[in-house]
Amino acid sequence: MNVLDIKDPRFLKKMKIKDLELLSIDIRNFIIDKVSLNGGHLSSNLGITDLTIAIHKVFNSPRDKIIFDVSHQCYPHKILTGRAKYFDKLRKLNGLSGFQKRSESPHDIYEAGHSSTSISAALGMALARDKQHKKYHVVAVIGDGSMGNGLPYEAINHLGSLNTRLIIILNDNEMSISENIGALHNNLDKIRSNYKYVNAKKTTKKFLNKIPFIGNKISLGITNLKSSLKKLYLKDGFFFEELGLKYYGPINGHDYHELLTYLELAKKETVPVIIHVITEKGKGYPICENDTLGLWHGVGPFNKHSGAFLTKNDNLITFSEVISNHLIELTKRHPEIMVITPAMASGSKLLKYKELYPNNFIDAGIAEEHALLLANGMSVGGLTPFVSIYSTFLQRGYDEVIHDIARMNTHVIIGVDRCGIVGEDGETHQGIYDLTFLLPIPNLIISTPKDSIEAGNILYTALLAKRPFVIRYSKDRLEYKKENYQIVPIGSWEVITTGTDAVLITYGSLLNYATTIQKNLDHDISLSIVNARYQKPIDTKMFESILDKYKYIFIYEEQTYINSLGFYLLSYANSHNYTGKIKIFAIKDEYVPQGKKEEILALLKLDPISITNEISSTIKSSNN
């Protein structure tokens, strides 16, 4: 069928299994077509297509509440709820979000961009339902990688004591973004690989189904026999039942016979249920199916036939890879370095480091708090840990930064990846808050390098500092360069250009825009540009000289206005009785939508043209 004709999931009720299988193919092909053009999350959506179709066939959305953990795997859900026609603007400004979004559809009952929140939210909805004496179902779809976080177990611990009617679907594809690690993954692996149980279950079903008239009913109702098989063959796998959940599985997430059978069974239960579904990440697209490194989890545009990524300049690499390359070089002479990531080895470009230094690399799984505390313990033990973590995920470990690392003043280096506007992932992933919540923390050194050479030098400085050190870097692409590493004095700023009328203070990738702003200004405005490469501590000596010399000070940031570096500098200037004009260009108190970085900056009036006009008008209006 033409997926563009789908208006809502009700049509699925009349479809037979053969029709559902054909629909799966159509939806997968549609997703591959659209993601190859726009980029997006690919493997997870291909893997969950059959399961999503089965869920919508059995349940009645939006009356029944379906929550997708993280929700980057909601593309099939969006197609089935009538949004296929908007996929040409997937993840674009004013277009379709790459995640569930309540303003888009009543079928998007919850929003998430971070992992492991679904069970807690679902339990809240279930309790609200019961309190109001309503009868709808609540379904939480969570991946096995998300179960490595502690939050689902807090929710399950609560759920198990309440006996509230709730359905949890564990979508087990053996991978989150990177390869899953840890005891839970190993336990699920035992369940997946225990063919004695699977074969015994299938043999029993086949035998019963051959019995005329009553065999099929017996097959669906042999709960006690299934329980015996589980106890016999899977003694180590059923801690879920010990936590108070009724367990179904493992079942084949690409077999509609099994999916529909067990979803219907779960629907009839009056107690909390977990259905363990085995799916294949990247199903239907061989390039994704063969990906064991997570390279096809989230992708940019690509050639769908060859699988070749469409990049503009092969000489440029991401800032993540620049940092990773410097870590590789520095580990040669500093073997005490330990690199830790919370399940972002691929996204943070650490796979090469992992290959070269497997004994210096730890993937802690989707567990930001644990990763930071692990690093803190390593530091106390005499090692030098570098924790690579996305800006948007660092906030999940805020307590560990403020309570443990900074308070104990340990030598932990935190690489804050993807700071500033990240673009297409939208509100949940914009890295615009980390500086806001890090600046007030005592003992922290905070820096944002402008380029590859400065990044290497600041990383080298961080290794020698013996203090908690934060290095922030954007998602931008740049040329990798290296020189002999040199110490960048802590708290020092750098004058890029010297002018006489005004000064523009900025840092990181925005320095590239600063030079454009300077070129675009009228020739009668002479602008200085200062690289505020340390946001904490600041270069008080240089800033005080700026206060003495300049009547106009402009501060340009890819960060929230509230509690920004500009906020701090403004307060400092006021305490020194500065009488000139300070203007801060930063992000207003609002969430930032998805779109290309250049589009977002223009929307926020933080693009070079807008800043140039603001500087010009400020100076000219004051002079008139």
Side-chain angles (χ1 to χ4, degrees):
M1 67 180 300
N2 187 347
V3 298
L4 293 172
D5 295 334
I6 297 174
K7 292 182 174 58
D8 61 58
R10 288 179 293 180
F11 75 98
L12 294 171
K13 304 297 181 184
K14 298 179 180 179
M15 293 188 80
K16 297 180 180 179
I17 287 177
K18 185 176 180 180
D19 299 321
L20 298 177
E21 291 170 344
L22 293 174
L23 177 61
S24 290
I25 296 172
D26 290 338
I27 288 178
R28 285 194 177 97
N29 287 337
F30 181 83
I31 290 172
I32 292 168
D33 286 343
K34 298 304 179 183
V35 175
S36 69
L37 296 174
N38 298 317
H41 291 93
L42 184 59
S43 291
S44 54
N45 282 292
L46 298 179
I48 204 173
T49 296
D50 303 327
L51 174 58
T52 305
I53 292 172
I55 290 170
H56 275 292
K57 180 173 175 61
V58 171
F59 296 96
N60 297 300
S61 177
R63 182 178 183 274
D64 294 329
K65 315 304 178 189
I66 304 168
I67 304 171
F68 290 89
D69 200 89
V70 186
S71 86
H72 60 241
Q73 77 287 38
C74 67
Y75 296 3
H77 163 77
K78 293 199 174 199
I79 293 167
L80 292 171
T81 52
R83 284 171 276 176
K85 57 187 175 183
Y86 303 120
F87 265 70
D88 285 334
K89 295 200 72 176
L90 176 67
R91 302 168 79 241
K92 294 182 179 180
L93 184 63
N94 299 321
L96 194 68
S97 172
F99 300 83
Q100 280 190 299
K101 195 165 185 65
R102 297 203 299 163
S103 60
E104 277 186 12
S105 169
H107 295 277
D108 288 5
I109 193 64
Y110 199 76
E111 295 180 12
H114 297 174
S115 77
S116 312
T117 61
S118 59
I119 301 176
S120 295
L123 178 55
M125 290 184 196
L127 292 174
R129 172 201 63 201
D130 296 346
K131 184 76 173 176
Q132 299 171 80
H133 306 291
K134 296 181 179 180
K135 301 296 182 183
Y136 57 80
H137 295 281
V138 181
V139 182
V141 185
I142 185 168
D144 51 323
S146 294
M147 294 294 288
N149 189 286
L151 186 54
Y153 297 98
E154 297 179 32
I156 289 172
N157 181 57
H158 188 196
L159 173 62
S161 67
L162 295 175
N163 215 32
T164 301
R165 183 166 56 90
L166 176 65
I167 298 169
I168 301 169
I169 299 176
L170 175 56
N171 177 31
D172 179 2
N173 59 26
E174 303 185 57
M175 284 187 73
S176 53
I177 298 175
S178 300
E179 181 183 2
N180 287 336
I181 56 92
L184 172 66
H185 172 69
N186 295 338
N187 220 346
L188 292 177
D189 201 44
K190 289 181 183 179
I191 300 174
R192 286 186 225 104
S193 61
N194 200 315
Y195 292 105
K196 291 181 180 179
Y197 165 66
V198 174
N199 289 336
K201 183 178 74 170
K202 287 183 177 179
T203 301
T204 304
K205 282 179 65 178
K206 285 181 180 179
F207 173 76
L208 289 171
N209 286 333
K210 290 180 180 179
I211 301 176
F213 306 113
I214 63 169
N216 187 51
K217 293 181 180 179
I218 296 174
S219 176
L220 294 177
I222 53 169
T223 302
N224 292 334
L225 177 57
K226 284 179 71 235
S227 178
S228 299
L229 287 171
K230 285 189 278 187
K231 290 177 182 178
L232 177 62
Y233 292 115
L234 298 172
K235 295 178 182 178
D236 297 326
F238 290 90
F239 51 88
F240 293 116
E241 292 191 343
E242 294 177 0
L243 293 171
L245 277 65
K246 188 162 188 178
Y247 176 92
Y248 286 126
I251 67 173
N252 185 345
H254 305 297
D255 183 331
Y256 277 110
H257 294 277
E258 287 200 33
L259 282 171
L260 298 176
T261 295
Y262 285 99
L263 288 172
E264 290 287 357
L265 282 173
K267 191 176 179 180
K268 296 173 184 177
E269 291 288 356
T270 58
V271 296
V273 177
I274 185 164
I275 307 175
H276 182 183
V277 179
I278 310 297
T279 60
E280 182 180 357
K281 197 166 186 179
K283 176 76 172 177
Y285 190 46
I287 296 173
C288 291
E289 291 174 350
N290 298 325
D291 175 25
T292 60
L293 299 176
L295 301 178
W296 286 85
H297 171 77
V299 296
F302 62 95
N303 184 310
K304 69 177 183 179
H305 302 293
S306 67
F309 293 110
L310 307 179
T311 56
K312 294 181 180 179
N313 191 334
D314 292 336
N315 293 324
L316 303 182
I317 61 176
T318 63
F319 227 126
S320 307
E321 192 167 355
V322 166
I323 295 294
S324 180
N325 288 344
H326 285 305
L327 283 168
I328 289 170
E329 291 296 320
L330 288 166
T331 303
K332 293 176 183 177
R333 61 186 89 172
H334 293 275
E336 74 279 6
I337 292 175
M338 293 293 298
V339 173
I340 302 168
T341 178
M344 299 308 298
S346 175
S348 289
K349 305 301 180 187
L350 294 169
L351 294 175
K352 184 178 178 181
Y353 185 94
K354 176 184 177 181
E355 180 183 350
L356 293 173
Y357 298 106
N359 296 326
N360 295 65
F361 178 84
I362 294 176
D363 188 336
I366 303 179
E368 294 84 4
E369 295 164 284
H370 166 61
L372 289 162
L373 287 177
L374 179 71
N376 205 42
M378 285 184 170
S379 177
V380 172
L383 298 176
T384 305
F386 177 94
V387 185
S388 176
I389 188 167
Y390 283 16
S391 170
T392 184
F393 300 139
L394 180 61
Q395 59 214 35
R396 307 190 96 185
Y398 183 63
D399 186 61
E400 287 65 40
V401 176
I402 191 171
H403 178 270
D404 297 273
I405 294 170
R407 188 178 60 84
M408 294 171 63
N409 206 23
T410 54
H411 189 202
V412 175
I413 305 170
I414 303 174
V416 186
D417 195 352
R418 305 197 182 194
C419 295
I421 303 299
V422 299
E424 289 84 355
D425 280 340
E427 293 95 326
T428 60
H429 283 62
Q430 307 290 11
I432 59 176
Y433 305 104
D434 60 272
L435 190 59
T436 299
F437 62 67
L438 291 174
L439 271 174
I441 302 177
N443 294 333
L444 284 188
I445 301 167
I446 307 174
S447 178
T448 310
K450 69 177 186 294
D451 57 25
S452 176
I453 292 174
E454 189 168 74
N457 289 336
I458 286 176
L459 180 56
Y460 177 68
T461 304
L463 289 173
L464 303 180
K466 305 299 180 184
R467 288 176 54 191
F469 205 115
V470 175
I471 305 174
R472 308 171 63 254
Y473 41 97
S474 72
K475 193 182 177 182
D476 291 359
R477 298 174 67 86
L478 68 164
E479 186 177 355
Y480 174 63
K481 294 180 180 180
K482 64 174 182 175
E483 295 177 352
N484 292 330
Y485 294 116
Q486 298 178 356
I487 291 176
V488 180
I490 293 172
S492 67
W493 291 358
E494 176 190 27
V495 176
I496 304 296
T497 63
T498 302
T500 56
D501 296 321
V503 60
L504 178 63
I505 299 173
T506 189
Y507 51 89
S509 298
L510 287 185
L511 278 159
N512 294 322
Y513 296 114
T515 55
T516 301
I517 292 166
Q518 184 184 46
K519 291 176 183 177
N520 291 339
L521 281 170
D522 294 339
H523 295 299
D524 57 345
I525 298 176
S526 178
L527 183 72
S528 286
I529 298 175
V530 170
N531 172 20
R533 56 194 175 194
Y534 283 101
Q535 293 81 63
K536 187 174 185 178
I538 64 169
D539 192 331
T540 55
K541 183 177 180 180
M542 183 180 292
F543 189 57
E544 287 173 10
S545 70
I546 288 171
L547 295 176
D548 292 336
K549 183 177 180 180
Y550 293 99
K551 182 180 177 182
Y552 304 101
I553 299 173
F554 301 98
I555 304 159
Y556 183 26
E557 303 185 71
E558 206 172 343
Q559 182 68 32
T560 55
Y561 176 82
I562 297 174
N563 210 36
S564 61
L565 174 64
F567 236 54
Y568 176 38
L569 296 180
L570 180 62
S571 175
Y572 192 95
N574 289 336
S575 69
H576 284 69
N577 301 313
Y578 178 66
T579 58
K581 187 173 184 62
I582 294 179
K583 191 157 190 175
I584 302 169
F585 303 115
I587 297 169
K588 296 178 182 178
D589 187 21
E590 60 190 24
Y591 286 103
V592 177
Q594 80 268 6
K596 294 186 180 301
K597 181 173 179 176
E598 294 76 14
E599 295 174 328
I600 298 299
L601 288 174
L603 180 71
L604 299 173
K605 298 191 181 303
L606 293 175
D607 59 297
I609 294 175
S610 297
I611 301 300
T612 301
N613 293 336
E614 282 292 321
I615 292 175
S616 294
S617 63
T618 299
I619 294 175
K620 289 179 179 179
S621 62
S622 297
N623 290 337
N624 292 335

PDB file of all heavy atoms in Angstrom, residues 139 285 315 366 380 422 428 439 442-444 520 531 534-535 540 548:
ATOM      1  N   VAL A 139       1.343   1.312  27.589  1.00  0.00           N
ATOM      2  CA  VAL A 139       2.405   0.459  27.050  1.00  0.00           C
ATOM      3  C   VAL A 139       3.705   1.257  26.976  1.00  0.00           C
ATOM      4  O   VAL A 139       3.745   2.334  26.364  1.00  0.00           O
ATOM      5  CB  VAL A 139       2.045  -0.057  25.642  1.00  0.00           C
ATOM      6  CG1 VAL A 139       3.140  -0.978  25.107  1.00  0.00           C
ATOM      7  CG2 VAL A 139       0.698  -0.767  25.659  1.00  0.00           C
ATOM      8  N   TYR A 285      17.626  -3.906   5.679  1.00  0.00           N
ATOM      9  CA  TYR A 285      18.631  -3.140   4.935  1.00  0.00           C
ATOM     10  C   TYR A 285      19.986  -3.744   5.294  1.00  0.00           C
ATOM     11  O   TYR A 285      20.525  -3.482   6.366  1.00  0.00           O
ATOM     12  CB  TYR A 285      18.564  -1.667   5.319  1.00  0.00           C
ATOM     13  CG  TYR A 285      19.389  -0.740   4.454  1.00  0.00           C
ATOM     14  CD1 TYR A 285      19.375  -0.826   3.071  1.00  0.00           C
ATOM     15  CD2 TYR A 285      20.179   0.257   5.042  1.00  0.00           C
ATOM     16  CE1 TYR A 285      20.114   0.039   2.287  1.00  0.00           C
ATOM     17  CE2 TYR A 285      20.927   1.130   4.268  1.00  0.00           C
ATOM     18  CZ  TYR A 285      20.888   1.017   2.884  1.00  0.00           C
ATOM     19  OH  TYR A 285      21.628   1.877   2.105  1.00  0.00           O
ATOM     20  N   ASN A 315      38.195  16.527   3.983  1.00  0.00           N
ATOM     21  CA  ASN A 315      39.332  16.987   4.779  1.00  0.00           C
ATOM     22  C   ASN A 315      38.906  17.434   6.183  1.00  0.00           C
ATOM     23  O   ASN A 315      39.749  17.636   7.052  1.00  0.00           O
ATOM     24  CB  ASN A 315      40.043  18.155   4.082  1.00  0.00           C
ATOM     25  CG  ASN A 315      40.705  17.714   2.789  1.00  0.00           C
ATOM     26  OD1 ASN A 315      41.212  16.603   2.704  1.00  0.00           O
ATOM     27  ND2 ASN A 315      40.680  18.577   1.795  1.00  0.00           N
ATOM     28  N   ILE A 366      24.647   3.087  29.055  1.00  0.00           N
ATOM     29  CA  ILE A 366      23.847   4.309  29.197  1.00  0.00           C
ATOM     30  C   ILE A 366      23.654   4.574  30.691  1.00  0.00           C
ATOM     31  O   ILE A 366      22.611   4.281  31.264  1.00  0.00           O
ATOM     32  CB  ILE A 366      22.497   4.173  28.476  1.00  0.00           C
ATOM     33  CG1 ILE A 366      22.721   3.847  26.996  1.00  0.00           C
ATOM     34  CG2 ILE A 366      21.702   5.473  28.580  1.00  0.00           C
ATOM     35  CD1 ILE A 366      21.449   3.667  26.204  1.00  0.00           C
ATOM     36  N   VAL A 380      40.896   9.066  42.229  1.00  0.00           N
ATOM     37  CA  VAL A 380      41.352   8.857  43.604  1.00  0.00           C
ATOM     38  C   VAL A 380      42.382   7.733  43.658  1.00  0.00           C
ATOM     39  O   VAL A 380      43.333   7.767  44.454  1.00  0.00           O
ATOM     40  CB  VAL A 380      40.152   8.550  44.529  1.00  0.00           C
ATOM     41  CG1 VAL A 380      40.625   8.135  45.921  1.00  0.00           C
ATOM     42  CG2 VAL A 380      39.230   9.759  44.623  1.00  0.00           C
ATOM     43  N   VAL A 422      23.102  21.885  18.105  1.00  0.00           N
ATOM     44  CA  VAL A 422      23.457  20.634  17.433  1.00  0.00           C
ATOM     45  C   VAL A 422      22.595  20.383  16.208  1.00  0.00           C
ATOM     46  O   VAL A 422      22.903  19.525  15.392  1.00  0.00           O
ATOM     47  CB  VAL A 422      23.361  19.426  18.394  1.00  0.00           C
ATOM     48  CG1 VAL A 422      24.313  19.580  19.552  1.00  0.00           C
ATOM     49  CG2 VAL A 422      21.931  19.240  18.911  1.00  0.00           C
ATOM     50  N   THR A 428      15.652  18.386  22.757  1.00  0.00           N
ATOM     51  CA  THR A 428      16.225  17.510  23.780  1.00  0.00           C
ATOM     52  C   THR A 428      17.736  17.355  23.670  1.00  0.00           C
ATOM     53  O   THR A 428      18.369  16.860  24.606  1.00  0.00           O
ATOM     54  CB  THR A 428      15.594  16.104  23.703  1.00  0.00           C
ATOM     55  OG1 THR A 428      15.844  15.547  22.405  1.00  0.00           O
ATOM     56  CG2 THR A 428      14.099  16.159  23.962  1.00  0.00           C
ATOM     57  N   LEU A 439      29.111  26.718  35.520  1.00  0.00           N
ATOM     58  CA  LEU A 439      29.825  27.923  35.966  1.00  0.00           C
ATOM     59  C   LEU A 439      29.779  28.154  37.478  1.00  0.00           C
ATOM     60  O   LEU A 439      30.778  28.573  38.060  1.00  0.00           O
ATOM     61  CB  LEU A 439      29.279  29.160  35.235  1.00  0.00           C
ATOM     62  CG  LEU A 439      29.938  29.510  33.901  1.00  0.00           C
ATOM     63  CD1 LEU A 439      29.213  30.665  33.221  1.00  0.00           C
ATOM     64  CD2 LEU A 439      31.411  29.846  34.072  1.00  0.00           C
ATOM     65  N   PRO A 442      32.259  25.399  42.348  1.00  0.00           N
ATOM     66  CA  PRO A 442      33.642  25.677  42.753  1.00  0.00           C
ATOM     67  C   PRO A 442      34.609  24.619  42.236  1.00  0.00           C
ATOM     68  O   PRO A 442      34.224  23.476  41.951  1.00  0.00           O
ATOM     69  CB  PRO A 442      33.572  25.652  44.290  1.00  0.00           C
ATOM     70  CG  PRO A 442      32.134  25.874  44.617  1.00  0.00           C
ATOM     71  CD  PRO A 442      31.362  25.255  43.494  1.00  0.00           C
ATOM     72  N   ASN A 443      35.866  25.002  42.108  1.00  0.00           N
ATOM     73  CA  ASN A 443      36.999  24.122  41.748  1.00  0.00           C
ATOM     74  C   ASN A 443      37.077  23.751  40.273  1.00  0.00           C
ATOM     75  O   ASN A 443      38.113  23.262  39.819  1.00  0.00           O
ATOM     76  CB  ASN A 443      37.011  22.834  42.572  1.00  0.00           C
ATOM     77  CG  ASN A 443      37.271  23.084  44.043  1.00  0.00           C
ATOM     78  OD1 ASN A 443      37.916  24.063  44.411  1.00  0.00           O
ATOM     79  ND2 ASN A 443      36.777  22.192  44.899  1.00  0.00           N
ATOM     80  N   LEU A 444      35.984  23.932  39.517  1.00  0.00           N
ATOM     81  CA  LEU A 444      36.019  23.542  38.106  1.00  0.00           C
ATOM     82  C   LEU A 444      36.825  24.526  37.269  1.00  0.00           C
ATOM     83  O   LEU A 444      36.751  25.746  37.466  1.00  0.00           O
ATOM     84  CB  LEU A 444      34.603  23.476  37.520  1.00  0.00           C
ATOM     85  CG  LEU A 444      33.710  22.294  37.858  1.00  0.00           C
ATOM     86  CD1 LEU A 444      32.447  22.360  37.013  1.00  0.00           C
ATOM     87  CD2 LEU A 444      34.413  20.963  37.639  1.00  0.00           C
ATOM     88  N   ASN A 520      32.320  42.231   7.902  1.00  0.00           N
ATOM     89  CA  ASN A 520      31.065  42.807   7.406  1.00  0.00           C
ATOM     90  C   ASN A 520      30.744  44.172   8.005  1.00  0.00           C
ATOM     91  O   ASN A 520      29.850  44.866   7.514  1.00  0.00           O
ATOM     92  CB  ASN A 520      29.898  41.852   7.699  1.00  0.00           C
ATOM     93  CG  ASN A 520      29.966  40.586   6.870  1.00  0.00           C
ATOM     94  OD1 ASN A 520      30.629  40.551   5.829  1.00  0.00           O
ATOM     95  ND2 ASN A 520      29.280  39.542   7.306  1.00  0.00           N
ATOM     96  N   ASN A 531      39.395  35.914  22.221  1.00  0.00           N
ATOM     97  CA  ASN A 531      39.070  34.508  22.423  1.00  0.00           C
ATOM     98  C   ASN A 531      39.043  34.224  23.923  1.00  0.00           C
ATOM     99  O   ASN A 531      40.085  34.073  24.559  1.00  0.00           O
ATOM    100  CB  ASN A 531      40.123  33.639  21.709  1.00  0.00           C
ATOM    101  CG  ASN A 531      39.958  32.155  22.028  1.00  0.00           C
ATOM    102  OD1 ASN A 531      38.901  31.710  22.450  1.00  0.00           O
ATOM    103  ND2 ASN A 531      41.021  31.384  21.800  1.00  0.00           N
ATOM    104  N   TYR A 534      38.947  30.352  28.182  1.00  0.00           N
ATOM    105  CA  TYR A 534      38.583  29.863  29.512  1.00  0.00           C
ATOM    106  C   TYR A 534      37.358  30.643  29.992  1.00  0.00           C
ATOM    107  O   TYR A 534      37.391  31.867  30.107  1.00  0.00           O
ATOM    108  CB  TYR A 534      39.731  30.053  30.510  1.00  0.00           C
ATOM    109  CG  TYR A 534      40.842  29.040  30.370  1.00  0.00           C
ATOM    110  CD1 TYR A 534      42.026  29.377  29.712  1.00  0.00           C
ATOM    111  CD2 TYR A 534      40.715  27.757  30.895  1.00  0.00           C
ATOM    112  CE1 TYR A 534      43.046  28.451  29.584  1.00  0.00           C
ATOM    113  CE2 TYR A 534      41.739  26.827  30.768  1.00  0.00           C
ATOM    114  CZ  TYR A 534      42.906  27.182  30.109  1.00  0.00           C
ATOM    115  OH  TYR A 534      43.919  26.256  29.980  1.00  0.00           O
ATOM    116  N   GLN A 535      36.295  29.918  30.271  1.00  0.00           N
ATOM    117  CA  GLN A 535      35.118  30.546  30.833  1.00  0.00           C
ATOM    118  C   GLN A 535      35.158  30.546  32.365  1.00  0.00           C
ATOM    119  O   GLN A 535      34.431  31.293  32.997  1.00  0.00           O
ATOM    120  CB  GLN A 535      33.852  29.821  30.351  1.00  0.00           C
ATOM    121  CG  GLN A 535      33.595  29.974  28.852  1.00  0.00           C
ATOM    122  CD  GLN A 535      34.418  29.016  28.018  1.00  0.00           C
ATOM    123  OE1 GLN A 535      34.265  27.797  28.139  1.00  0.00           O
ATOM    124  NE2 GLN A 535      35.294  29.540  27.169  1.00  0.00           N
ATOM    125  N   THR A 540      40.985  37.905  34.360  1.00  0.00           N
ATOM    126  CA  THR A 540      40.591  39.173  35.000  1.00  0.00           C
ATOM    127  C   THR A 540      41.483  40.333  34.571  1.00  0.00           C
ATOM    128  O   THR A 540      41.011  41.456  34.408  1.00  0.00           O
ATOM    129  CB  THR A 540      40.615  39.021  36.527  1.00  0.00           C
ATOM    130  OG1 THR A 540      41.917  38.563  36.934  1.00  0.00           O
ATOM    131  CG2 THR A 540      39.568  38.029  37.000  1.00  0.00           C
ATOM    132  N   ASP A 548      38.694  49.257  30.898  1.00  0.00           N
ATOM    133  CA  ASP A 548      39.343  50.576  30.892  1.00  0.00           C
ATOM    134  C   ASP A 548      39.411  51.179  29.495  1.00  0.00           C
ATOM    135  O   ASP A 548      39.339  52.412  29.329  1.00  0.00           O
ATOM    136  CB  ASP A 548      40.764  50.471  31.456  1.00  0.00           C
ATOM    137  CG  ASP A 548      40.778  50.151  32.943  1.00  0.00           C
ATOM    138  OD1 ASP A 548      39.777  50.453  33.618  1.00  0.00           O
ATOM    139  OD2 ASP A 548      41.787  49.582  33.410  1.00  0.00           O
TER     140      ASP A 548
END
